Amino acid sequence: MNQHAQHAHQQPEQPLPQQQFTPAPPPKKKRTGLKITLGVVAGIVVVAAFASGGQDGGDGGDGGDGGRAEAGDSAAAAPAEDKAKDQPKAAEAADAGSEKSQAEQFKAHVAKKGTPQQKEAVQHVTDVQGADKRNDVMDSAEIHTDYTGGMTGPHTGDGKLLASAFAGWRSSDNGLVTVYDADGEILSNGNY
């Protein structure tokens, strides 16, 4: 009983006051990686928009509709577009088996299918690079000529003719051909 008597003399236990526990705020994370990623994505979108913005055939005369077909015309135009895309790819396959340089292949194509103005301009082509490399993501080709004067010189129109002829020879979902003069200055560029 002694133990029982001891417990009787003790004061009843009072609950301890509960302490408010608030966790420390998590440390702020640096978000530079996210900012860089968003910047890269934004840059790609801008480049893609710029690259696809000028695909009106290169002559600037699009009849005022900006190269867009009406909603009813799109179904009828789709088979023709598929055939047009297949023809340059077939030509590329035929060219791939030949031993000619890219410049010689380009000149031969223009000699067969080019306009008289394109045939005259292609006589000034000294080299073609990048026409055989395609991934349809961001393709780039170069045409080097013996013209002089750059974009402000007298041969800018000839550069446009060559870029247009190149687009008739090669095709890409997102290709850019740049035409250079003899000094390495840009004469013109265009989508292909």
Side-chain angles (χ1 to χ4, degrees):
M1 279 209 209
N2 198 5
Q3 289 177 350
H4 186 22
Q6 244 179 355
H7 285 291
H9 290 293
Q10 289 181 348
Q11 294 184 357
E13 291 184 26
Q14 295 187 5
L16 295 173
Q18 290 188 0
Q19 295 179 353
Q20 295 287 333
F21 178 76
T22 55
K28 291 189 178 187
K29 294 180 183 177
K30 293 184 179 180
R31 297 178 69 134
T32 57
L34 178 62
K35 288 179 185 178
I36 290 172
T37 302
L38 289 176
V40 169
V41 170
I44 290 172
V45 169
V46 169
V47 168
F50 178 78
S52 67
Q55 294 182 355
D56 66 350
D59 62 356
D62 59 340
D65 67 352
R68 295 179 299 274
E70 295 294 324
D73 296 341
S74 63
E81 289 175 8
D82 289 341
K83 288 179 185 177
K85 285 184 178 180
D86 291 341
Q87 288 174 348
K89 290 181 182 177
E92 289 175 33
D95 289 342
S98 67
E99 295 298 318
K100 294 180 182 179
S101 71
Q102 292 179 35
E104 291 169 335
Q105 293 172 21
F106 178 55
K107 287 179 178 183
H109 169 78
V110 173
K112 284 183 187 177
K113 298 187 179 186
T115 66
Q117 295 87 0
Q118 289 173 335
K119 290 177 183 178
E120 166 60 31
V122 82
Q123 299 304 315
H124 296 273
V125 172
T126 58
D127 191 24
V128 176
Q129 297 175 353
D132 58 345
K133 299 175 187 169
R134 275 198 16 220
N135 61 11
D136 289 332
V137 176
M138 188 61 139
D139 299 324
S140 176
E142 299 176 352
I143 299 173
H144 297 271
T145 68
D146 61 4
Y147 290 125
T148 58
M151 290 181 98
T152 59
H155 300 291
T156 303
D158 296 315
K160 288 266 186 215
L161 286 170
L162 291 171
S164 176
F166 188 89
W169 180 49
R170 295 288 193 237
S171 68
S172 169
D173 290 341
N174 194 23
L176 179 70
V177 59
T178 305
V179 182
Y180 294 96
D181 71 2
D183 297 326
E185 293 183 40
I186 295 175
L187 276 178
S188 180
N189 59 26
N191 295 322
Y192 69 95

